[in-house]
Amino acid sequence: MSGIPSDVLIVGGGIAGYTTATTLREFGYDGPVTIVERDAACSDRPPLSKRVLLEGSPRSEIDFATPERLAELRITVIAGVSATAVTTAGVLLSDGRVLRADSTVIAIGAEARRPSMPGAADHRVTTLRGYDDAMRIRAASGPGRTVLVLGGGFIGAEVAASLRTRQTSVVLVDPHEIPGARTLGTTLAGWLRDMHVAQGVDLRATTVSAIHGDENGAGPLSVALADGSVVEADLVVAGLGVAPQALPGIDLVPLSGGIVLAPTAHWDDARLDGADAAARLLGRDPQPRGAGWYWTDRYGSHIEVVGDLTGRGEDVRRARTSVFRIEGDRLMGAASIDDPMTVRAARRIIDRGVRVDPAVLADPAVSLRQMLRG
């Protein structure tokens, strides 16, 4: 890529694409910026499994910006249209248009994995990726309804928590005794599992082998589990992770000086990817990144994680609100429940390589900020 682009086309209006656009403006870029977004607007996805499911929040509440703000930023959004291919002529859209720009950023992210067992094509088996998905799940839940959630990762666990808060009977099926332990470590994942149990979620450490239902949608679904049991459910929500979206011709983008952003696991990573893309378009060096950070909300509690909770080392617990992963005298990762300041300080400790004392980490009377001051 040489020189400043005369105009920029961004395919994908999620957090990565939207951040690319706004960061260009923050850096003083004055050329035309256009975003193509397949949904009705550029909007945030984390609230879908929380605020939208819980409260039925209108779509406008999760949009990144109002039309007035977009106009102020001089960002053009083409919404409700998908990119179907990249060609030598430009980006082909689902409405037949072809858009071309001096620089193109592909930030289409990922799509939810659908289950593949027999019966998974039933319309009452769904995933959560967009606003309409969230409202469909909300409409099928509530008192007197049963929802089977397939997968206890971030999306599955948040959906289960939100539905249970709405007095829905929830069966959470995950192949692991402690859902999420491979990502969150056994200590934090164990605490979060206990939250589910305390709230009345029916946890099943198994898998789904088949789904049976009347083709006309009459009566509940009959979900056969690998352990031989059967669950009657009004809806099945699959939280099986995501896979990169396919876009024919995407390899042409880097060749023409554009940028393809790979899907990332967490919101903050995607946001930083967007900021990095804007910097690269303008010939700037991306800002250094600290330890990875992410969060989840369940049953009114806010959980934050920084760094690695599953690598080499051992866990140090601080009461039942914080856990630290240490290797020798180095902090590798940390997590807290309703104590974001601890994670904020832990991130600085990790980034600065400050040596830690396990006994001090375990002492609730000592703040991590004292460690930063030595």
Side-chain angles (χ1 to χ4, degrees), residues 152-183:
F154 280 94
I155 294 297
E158 290 178 355
V159 168
S162 294
L163 295 183
R164 189 70 196 105
T165 301
R166 297 191 64 241
Q167 305 303 309
T168 309
S169 295
V170 176
V171 179
L172 179 57
V173 176
D174 188 274
H176 304 97
E177 288 289 341
I178 305 178
R182 292 185 301 173
T183 302

Short mmCIF file of all heavy atoms in Angstrom, two decimals, residues 152-183:
data_model
loop_
_atom_site.label_atom_id
_atom_site.label_comp_id
_atom_site.label_asym_id
_atom_site.label_seq_id
_atom_site.Cartn_x
_atom_site.Cartn_y
_atom_site.Cartn_z
N GLY A 152 -21.87 -24.73 26.42
CA GLY A 152 -21.75 -23.89 27.61
C GLY A 152 -20.63 -22.88 27.53
O GLY A 152 -20.12 -22.45 28.57
N GLY A 153 -20.24 -22.48 26.31
CA GLY A 153 -19.25 -21.41 26.16
C GLY A 153 -19.87 -20.07 26.47
O GLY A 153 -20.93 -19.99 27.09
N PHE A 154 -19.24 -18.98 26.00
CA PHE A 154 -19.70 -17.65 26.38
C PHE A 154 -21.13 -17.40 25.94
O PHE A 154 -21.98 -17.00 26.74
CB PHE A 154 -18.78 -16.59 25.78
CG PHE A 154 -17.52 -16.41 26.56
CD1 PHE A 154 -16.37 -17.10 26.22
CD2 PHE A 154 -17.48 -15.56 27.65
CE1 PHE A 154 -15.21 -16.95 26.96
CE2 PHE A 154 -16.33 -15.40 28.39
CZ PHE A 154 -15.19 -16.10 28.04
N ILE A 155 -21.45 -17.62 24.67
CA ILE A 155 -22.79 -17.33 24.19
C ILE A 155 -23.81 -18.24 24.85
O ILE A 155 -24.85 -17.78 25.36
CB ILE A 155 -22.87 -17.47 22.66
CG1 ILE A 155 -22.00 -16.40 21.99
CG2 ILE A 155 -24.32 -17.34 22.18
CD1 ILE A 155 -22.43 -14.99 22.26
N GLY A 156 -23.53 -19.53 24.87
CA GLY A 156 -24.47 -20.47 25.47
C GLY A 156 -24.74 -20.17 26.93
O GLY A 156 -25.90 -20.18 27.38
N ALA A 157 -23.69 -19.89 27.68
CA ALA A 157 -23.85 -19.62 29.11
C ALA A 157 -24.61 -18.32 29.35
O ALA A 157 -25.45 -18.23 30.26
CB ALA A 157 -22.48 -19.57 29.78
N GLU A 158 -24.34 -17.29 28.54
CA GLU A 158 -25.06 -16.02 28.72
C GLU A 158 -26.52 -16.16 28.34
O GLU A 158 -27.40 -15.60 29.01
CB GLU A 158 -24.38 -14.93 27.89
CG GLU A 158 -23.03 -14.50 28.44
CD GLU A 158 -22.34 -13.44 27.61
OE1 GLU A 158 -22.87 -13.09 26.52
OE2 GLU A 158 -21.29 -12.97 28.03
N VAL A 159 -26.80 -16.90 27.28
CA VAL A 159 -28.19 -17.15 26.90
C VAL A 159 -28.91 -17.90 28.01
O VAL A 159 -30.03 -17.55 28.40
CB VAL A 159 -28.27 -17.93 25.58
CG1 VAL A 159 -29.68 -18.46 25.33
CG2 VAL A 159 -27.83 -17.06 24.40
N ALA A 160 -28.27 -18.94 28.55
CA ALA A 160 -28.88 -19.72 29.63
C ALA A 160 -29.18 -18.82 30.83
O ALA A 160 -30.26 -18.90 31.42
CB ALA A 160 -27.94 -20.86 30.03
N ALA A 161 -28.23 -17.94 31.19
CA ALA A 161 -28.43 -17.07 32.34
C ALA A 161 -29.57 -16.08 32.10
O ALA A 161 -30.41 -15.86 32.98
CB ALA A 161 -27.14 -16.32 32.65
N SER A 162 -29.61 -15.49 30.92
CA SER A 162 -30.67 -14.52 30.63
C SER A 162 -32.04 -15.18 30.61
O SER A 162 -33.02 -14.64 31.14
CB SER A 162 -30.39 -13.84 29.28
OG SER A 162 -29.22 -13.04 29.35
N LEU A 163 -32.13 -16.36 29.99
CA LEU A 163 -33.42 -17.05 29.92
C LEU A 163 -33.87 -17.51 31.30
O LEU A 163 -35.06 -17.43 31.64
CB LEU A 163 -33.33 -18.23 28.96
CG LEU A 163 -33.08 -17.87 27.50
CD1 LEU A 163 -33.10 -19.13 26.64
CD2 LEU A 163 -34.10 -16.87 26.98
N ARG A 164 -32.94 -17.98 32.11
CA ARG A 164 -33.32 -18.43 33.45
C ARG A 164 -33.78 -17.24 34.29
O ARG A 164 -34.72 -17.37 35.09
CB ARG A 164 -32.12 -19.12 34.11
CG ARG A 164 -32.49 -19.80 35.42
CD ARG A 164 -33.36 -21.02 35.20
NE ARG A 164 -34.03 -21.46 36.43
CZ ARG A 164 -35.31 -21.26 36.70
NH1 ARG A 164 -36.10 -20.65 35.83
NH2 ARG A 164 -35.82 -21.67 37.84
N THR A 165 -33.14 -16.10 34.11
CA THR A 165 -33.56 -14.88 34.82
C THR A 165 -34.99 -14.51 34.46
O THR A 165 -35.73 -13.95 35.27
CB THR A 165 -32.60 -13.72 34.50
OG1 THR A 165 -31.27 -14.09 34.89
CG2 THR A 165 -32.99 -12.45 35.23
N ARG A 166 -35.41 -14.87 33.23
CA ARG A 166 -36.78 -14.61 32.79
C ARG A 166 -37.73 -15.76 33.15
O ARG A 166 -38.81 -15.88 32.59
CB ARG A 166 -36.81 -14.38 31.28
CG ARG A 166 -36.02 -13.15 30.83
CD ARG A 166 -36.30 -12.82 29.37
NE ARG A 166 -37.70 -12.46 29.17
CZ ARG A 166 -38.54 -13.12 28.38
NH1 ARG A 166 -38.15 -14.21 27.71
NH2 ARG A 166 -39.78 -12.70 28.24
N GLN A 167 -37.29 -16.61 34.06
CA GLN A 167 -38.11 -17.71 34.57
C GLN A 167 -38.37 -18.79 33.53
O GLN A 167 -39.38 -19.51 33.61
CB GLN A 167 -39.44 -17.17 35.13
CG GLN A 167 -39.28 -16.10 36.20
CD GLN A 167 -38.46 -16.59 37.37
OE1 GLN A 167 -38.71 -17.64 37.95
NE2 GLN A 167 -37.42 -15.83 37.72
N THR A 168 -37.50 -18.91 32.57
CA THR A 168 -37.57 -20.01 31.61
C THR A 168 -36.92 -21.24 32.22
O THR A 168 -35.89 -21.13 32.90
CB THR A 168 -36.83 -19.64 30.31
OG1 THR A 168 -37.30 -18.38 29.84
CG2 THR A 168 -37.01 -20.70 29.24
N SER A 169 -37.48 -22.41 31.99
CA SER A 169 -36.80 -23.65 32.36
C SER A 169 -35.68 -23.88 31.35
O SER A 169 -35.93 -23.92 30.15
CB SER A 169 -37.77 -24.84 32.36
OG SER A 169 -38.75 -24.68 33.36
N VAL A 170 -34.45 -24.01 31.83
CA VAL A 170 -33.28 -24.11 30.96
C VAL A 170 -32.54 -25.40 31.21
O VAL A 170 -32.20 -25.72 32.36
CB VAL A 170 -32.32 -22.91 31.15
CG1 VAL A 170 -31.07 -23.08 30.30
CG2 VAL A 170 -33.03 -21.60 30.82
N VAL A 171 -32.29 -26.13 30.13
CA VAL A 171 -31.42 -27.31 30.17
C VAL A 171 -30.17 -26.95 29.37
O VAL A 171 -30.26 -26.62 28.19
CB VAL A 171 -32.10 -28.55 29.56
CG1 VAL A 171 -31.15 -29.75 29.60
CG2 VAL A 171 -33.41 -28.86 30.29
N LEU A 172 -29.01 -26.96 30.04
CA LEU A 172 -27.75 -26.60 29.39
C LEU A 172 -26.95 -27.87 29.15
O LEU A 172 -26.55 -28.56 30.10
CB LEU A 172 -26.96 -25.63 30.26
CG LEU A 172 -25.59 -25.18 29.75
CD1 LEU A 172 -25.71 -24.52 28.39
CD2 LEU A 172 -24.93 -24.24 30.75
N VAL A 173 -26.73 -28.19 27.88
CA VAL A 173 -26.03 -29.41 27.50
C VAL A 173 -24.63 -29.06 27.01
O VAL A 173 -24.47 -28.29 26.05
CB VAL A 173 -26.80 -30.16 26.40
CG1 VAL A 173 -26.01 -31.40 25.94
CG2 VAL A 173 -28.18 -30.56 26.90
N ASP A 174 -23.63 -29.61 27.68
CA ASP A 174 -22.24 -29.38 27.31
C ASP A 174 -21.46 -30.66 27.60
O ASP A 174 -21.71 -31.31 28.62
CB ASP A 174 -21.66 -28.21 28.11
CG ASP A 174 -20.27 -27.81 27.63
OD1 ASP A 174 -19.28 -28.42 28.09
OD2 ASP A 174 -20.18 -26.91 26.78
N PRO A 175 -20.52 -31.05 26.74
CA PRO A 175 -19.83 -32.32 26.95
C PRO A 175 -18.90 -32.34 28.15
O PRO A 175 -18.44 -33.42 28.56
CB PRO A 175 -19.05 -32.52 25.65
CG PRO A 175 -18.89 -31.16 25.07
CD PRO A 175 -20.13 -30.41 25.47
N HIS A 176 -18.62 -31.20 28.74
CA HIS A 176 -17.65 -31.13 29.84
C HIS A 176 -18.35 -30.98 31.19
O HIS A 176 -19.36 -30.28 31.30
CB HIS A 176 -16.68 -29.97 29.62
CG HIS A 176 -15.97 -30.03 28.30
ND1 HIS A 176 -16.41 -29.33 27.20
CD2 HIS A 176 -14.88 -30.73 27.90
CE1 HIS A 176 -15.60 -29.57 26.18
NE2 HIS A 176 -14.68 -30.42 26.57
N GLU A 177 -17.81 -31.62 32.21
CA GLU A 177 -18.38 -31.52 33.55
C GLU A 177 -18.37 -30.07 34.04
O GLU A 177 -19.27 -29.64 34.75
CB GLU A 177 -17.59 -32.41 34.53
CG GLU A 177 -17.81 -33.90 34.34
CD GLU A 177 -19.20 -34.35 34.76
OE1 GLU A 177 -19.86 -33.61 35.53
OE2 GLU A 177 -19.62 -35.44 34.35
N ILE A 178 -17.32 -29.33 33.68
CA ILE A 178 -17.24 -27.91 34.03
C ILE A 178 -17.20 -27.13 32.73
O ILE A 178 -16.14 -26.96 32.11
CB ILE A 178 -15.99 -27.61 34.88
CG1 ILE A 178 -15.94 -28.49 36.11
CG2 ILE A 178 -15.97 -26.13 35.28
CD1 ILE A 178 -14.71 -28.28 36.97
N PRO A 179 -18.35 -26.64 32.25
CA PRO A 179 -18.36 -25.90 30.98
C PRO A 179 -17.43 -24.70 31.01
O PRO A 179 -17.39 -23.96 31.99
CB PRO A 179 -19.83 -25.46 30.85
CG PRO A 179 -20.59 -26.45 31.68
CD PRO A 179 -19.70 -26.78 32.83
N GLY A 180 -16.68 -24.52 29.95
CA GLY A 180 -15.81 -23.37 29.84
C GLY A 180 -14.45 -23.50 30.47
O GLY A 180 -13.63 -22.57 30.40
N ALA A 181 -14.14 -24.66 31.09
CA ALA A 181 -12.87 -24.80 31.80
C ALA A 181 -11.67 -24.71 30.87
O ALA A 181 -10.60 -24.25 31.28
CB ALA A 181 -12.85 -26.12 32.57
N ARG A 182 -11.82 -25.11 29.62
CA ARG A 182 -10.68 -25.07 28.70
C ARG A 182 -10.26 -23.64 28.38
O ARG A 182 -9.11 -23.40 27.99
CB ARG A 182 -11.02 -25.81 27.41
CG ARG A 182 -11.18 -27.32 27.58
CD ARG A 182 -11.41 -27.99 26.25
NE ARG A 182 -12.60 -27.48 25.58
CZ ARG A 182 -12.95 -27.80 24.34
NH1 ARG A 182 -12.18 -28.61 23.62
NH2 ARG A 182 -14.05 -27.31 23.82
N THR A 183 -11.17 -22.69 28.55
CA THR A 183 -10.85 -21.28 28.29
C THR A 183 -10.64 -20.50 29.57
O THR A 183 -9.73 -19.66 29.66
CB THR A 183 -11.99 -20.62 27.49
OG1 THR A 183 -12.19 -21.33 26.28
CG2 THR A 183 -11.67 -19.17 27.19
#
